[in-house]
Amino acid sequence: MPAASSEAAVVRLNAQERHEALASLGGWDLVANGQAIRKTFTFGCFSRAWGFMSRVALESERMNHHPEWSNVWNRVDILLTTHDVGGLSGNDVRLARFIDRCALDAGG
């Protein structure tokens, strides 16, 4: 018999929850008909942007929740959505908060 998971099921946020989540996040925009959030970060140089991305990548792997992102020199564009539920979930909000802390630490 498989061990019971201690993780709660991931569910898509409803309209009210999306509104409250967006209000609690600084600078993130609701996109894709309210099913994703996006933010662009700008750093002083490529190495700061890369270091920021490395920290986010490690946390994303730990969470098993990975962003859609791109990097051009000192700029990192990030889109968060939960494909498994077809929209925005609490995992996206938690990762966005972590990303914002990392960006602040990296000078973005």
Side-chain angles (χ1 to χ4, degrees), residues 13 18 22 25 28-32 34-41 52 56-57 59-60 63-70 76-100:
L13 300 180
R18 287 192 307 265
L22 193 61
L25 298 170
W28 289 86
D29 296 315
L30 204 54
V31 297
Q35 298 309 313
I37 53 177
R38 170 174 283 147
K39 188 170 181 178
T40 298
F41 298 88
F52 160 77
V56 172
E59 179 64 12
S60 297
M63 290 179 68
N64 192 31
H65 190 67
H66 305 90
E68 295 179 26
W69 58 6
S70 66
V76 180
D77 297 304
I78 299 178
L79 179 108
L80 298 175
T81 190
T82 303
H83 298 287
D84 291 346
V85 299
L88 203 60
S89 76
N91 284 348
D92 299 303
V93 176
R94 283 186 289 282
L95 186 55
R97 287 190 179 114
F98 178 83
I99 288 169
D100 283 343

Side-chain angles (χ1 to χ4, degrees), residues 7-50:
E7 294 181 26
V10 177
V11 296
R12 186 168 62 179
L13 300 180
N14 65 36
Q16 178 65 32
E17 291 167 329
R18 287 192 307 265
H19 174 75
E20 290 170 3
L22 193 61
S24 75
L25 298 170
W28 289 86
D29 296 315
L30 204 54
V31 297
N33 293 322
Q35 298 309 313
I37 53 177
R38 170 174 283 147
K39 188 170 181 178
T40 298
F41 298 88
T42 304
F43 300 91
C45 63
F46 176 75
S47 2
R48 285 190 183 270
W50 190 265

